[in-house]
Each structure stands twice: as C-alpha cells, then as structure tokens.
Amino acid sequence: MKKLEEKIIKEGSVLSDSVLKVDSFLNHQVDPFLMKEIGEEFSRLFADRGITKIVTLESSGIAPAVMAALTMDVPLVFARKRKSLTLTEGLLTADVYSFTKEETNTITISEKYIKKTDNVLIIDDFLANGQAAEGLINIVSQTGASIAGIGIVIEKAFQDGGKLLREKGFKVESLARLQSLSGGKVEFAEEALT
Ligand code: 5GP
C-alpha cells in the first residue's frame, strides 16, 4: 500500500536492525485517515472470504482492526493482555511472547464473543516471529470458529512469522512488507505475496 510505505519512510524510525518505530501514526498517536484507508484495503483483500468477525490484540491492533470492522460491517473483538476486574468468567487464554517487550503475556478473550459459526479475520499491527498471530489463532481455534485469514499492517519479511503462517496454509495479507532495516534504512520487499 503506497500511502503506508510513504508514511513509513517519512515518519518511521529504525531503532535497530529488527525494530521499526511508528509511534506517530500507529503505535501511539494514530492517523485516523490512514487507518480508514488501511481498513478499506483489508476489506478489499478479504472481500470474498465471508468474514463475520475481526479479532485483534490490544492495543495497537485496535485502530486498524476497528476501521476494517467498520468497512466490513462486522464486530471487532480485541484480546486483552492484562487481567480485567470485570471480565472474569468464561475466558479463553493463550500465552504470547512479546517480541518488543521481551516478556510473556497471557492473552484472553471472553468465549461469549466468538461463536463456532464465526469466520474470523485476525488483524495485527506488526508481524515479526508470529507469536501474537499464533496466540490469536490458538484462542479462535478453541471456540471451533474458522480462521479466514490474517491481515497485517507491517510485516517484517526478514523474520519468520509470515513464512510459518503461510506454510500452515493461512492467507496472510500484509499492507507493507519490510525486506530489511539494516544500517538504519527501511527497505521494502518487492514481491507481492498472497
Ligand atoms: P510477533 O508476535 O509476530 O513476533 O510480533 C508481533 C507483535 O510484536 C506485534 O503485535 C507488535 O506489537 C510487536 N512488534 C514486533 N515487531 C515490531 C516492530 O518492529 N515495531 C513495533 N512497533 N512493534 C513490533
């Protein structure tokens, strides 16, 4: 997605050979106009998949996911990373190792909000080693619902997550694919993958 790539070049900062910071439009401040276009792009890419629900992980997945949900006219459920006082019963859980925080979180979703008849699109902000996506797949699978695909805003193609998920047969669509962050420079992958 051209606009997203331009935004990454203009505002992204490379923190290391493997971490990109995009706090000005996705991970802290949010650019709602760009999020709207991201939501529309996900909606277009998964239009033929009969999606009934979108599932993401708090907090940075919520902005792109809510825009996709709005465009696709389906509800959004976000998995929580921390225990909630009000959400205690009927919880589905999975352990997720966080690439950026270097800690394991138990993520939770109430079983109330995913039915086995659902056809779920998983959305997240970044794809690195695939732990977050695997955790969400794990939780959705516990409900018996189907997984229609995985939509990622920024995939780091030099890490293994995308390959692993595609090898498992999931349709993974990424709106920007980074080939490298070496030497403080962002390079995009040329080939389109679906
Ligand atoms: P994975 O679980 O695929 O290893 O990593 C994906 C998760 O880690 C995303 O939910 C995202 O929050 C975070 N993440 C991974 N790599 C980056 C990165 O380069 N920049 C930012 N801002 N977040 C990242």
Side-chain angles (χ1 to χ4, degrees), residues 41-175:
E41 188 64 6
F42 281 136
S43 173
R44 192 183 66 74
L45 290 166
F46 291 97
D48 60 348
R49 293 265 156 162
I51 311 286
T52 63
K53 191 152 285 186
I54 293 180
V55 170
T56 189
L57 183 57
E58 69 169 350
S59 53
S60 294
I62 296 176
V66 79
M67 286 305 188
L70 185 66
T71 312
M72 296 169 98
D73 194 16
V74 296
L76 160 70
V77 184
F78 64 86
R80 291 176 181 260
K81 287 179 183 162
R82 274 174 210 90
K83 284 210 178 77
S84 157
L85 285 177
T86 54
L87 193 68
T88 50
E89 275 166 37
L91 293 182
L92 304 167
T93 66
D95 284 340
V96 170
Y97 178 76
S98 165
F99 175 77
T100 43
K101 301 205 174 77
E102 296 181 337
E103 62 184 28
T104 298
N105 291 117
T106 301
I107 65 167
T108 58
I109 288 183
S110 166
E111 62 187 7
K112 223 169 39 190
Y113 296 117
I114 305 180
K115 302 282 170 237
K116 66 168 178 279
T117 48
D118 272 322
N119 196 26
V120 172
L121 172 62
I122 289 172
I123 285 184
D124 204 8
D125 59 339
F126 271 87
L127 177 60
N129 295 317
Q131 297 278 312
E134 295 276 11
L136 292 171
I137 290 167
N138 180 337
I139 288 189
V140 172
S141 302
Q142 291 175 45
T143 68
S146 325
I147 294 164
I150 301 165
I152 299 291
V153 181
I154 303 173
E155 174 180 351
K156 292 182 293 178
F158 55 88
Q159 292 178 292
D160 279 343
K163 186 167 168 279
L164 294 174
L165 293 169
R166 290 182 181 99
E167 275 173 6
K168 287 184 180 174
F170 292 107
K171 175 182 162 87
V172 182
E173 293 280 6
S174 306
L175 305 189

Side-chain angles (χ1 to χ4, degrees), residues 8-9 11-21 158 178 180-187:
I8 291 170
I9 294 293
E11 298 183 17
S13 59
V14 178
L15 292 190
S16 71
D17 281 0
S18 62
V19 179
L20 177 71
K21 183 173 172 176
F158 55 88
L178 310 183
S180 162
L181 293 172
S182 295
K185 192 170 170 290
V186 177
E187 270 176 48

